Structures are given as structure tokens and as C-alpha cells.
Amino acid sequence: MQTGNLPAGVPSPKETLGYQVIRWAQKYIVQPDGERAGESWQFTPEQLRFVLWFYAINPDGGWRYSAGTLRRAKGWGKLDAPPRRTGDR
């Protein structure tokens, strides 16, 4: 499954377990390093969409996809840091 091949939009809460996965991750995972070290984990919009489709389920409760891969360049998942004024540390 490639994000370029994902269906348009996002699945409804009845069509994926991804919403629960996202809530769990944002509650229990913290940013390990950098300027946001120790803060709650935040997914990028593309990561959110990928998780929702990766955990998509069929009406019978089975997985919609049996495997998935998301490949991007190093540093791709980093959120932009807020702009700093001159002299801020």
C-alpha cells in the first residue's frame, strides 16, 4: 500500500481501527528528542491518513490490507518548528 495509492479522503470510524491507534499513540508516546522532547507525539497529516487506511477493516471485521509500507527520506516526519525571533534561545 503506497500513500499515493490510498483512496481519497479518510475512512469513517466504523471502517478503521486507526482512530483508536492514533488516540493511543498521542496519549502514551512522547517526542524522544529535539525541541519538542517530552511533549506528546504528533503525527503529520500524511502519517495520520496512512494510519487510518493501514488499520482499515472490512465489513466482516477482517483487515482491508494485509501489508503496508511507507517510505520517505530521513527527517520527513518532522513537524516544522515554530519560527523564532532574533535573539530567542
Side-chain angles (χ1 to χ4, degrees):
M1 174 174 72
Q2 298 176 353
T3 57
N5 296 336
L6 289 175
V10 295
S12 76
K14 292 183 179 182
E15 299 173 311
T16 183
L17 300 177
Y19 292 100
Q20 290 90 332
V21 171
I22 291 165
R23 279 193 296 272
W24 182 92
Q26 291 176 332
K27 182 175 182 178
Y28 293 105
I29 299 176
V30 296
Q31 178 66 31
D33 54 15
E35 291 182 25
R36 296 187 55 249
E39 293 180 20
S40 296
W41 180 261
Q42 289 185 7
F43 291 95
T44 66
E46 186 178 19
Q47 290 169 337
L48 289 169
R49 194 163 169 262
F50 180 84
V51 168
L52 292 174
W53 283 112
F54 184 79
Y55 288 98
I57 54 176
N58 294 318
D60 68 1
W63 297 114
R64 183 167 177 177
Y65 302 103
S66 60
T69 302
L70 179 61
R71 289 182 173 188
R72 294 291 184 264
K74 181 179 177 181
W76 156 80
K78 294 182 179 180
L79 294 173
D80 292 330
R84 291 179 172 218
R85 295 184 318 239
T86 304
D88 283 357
R89 293 184 185 232

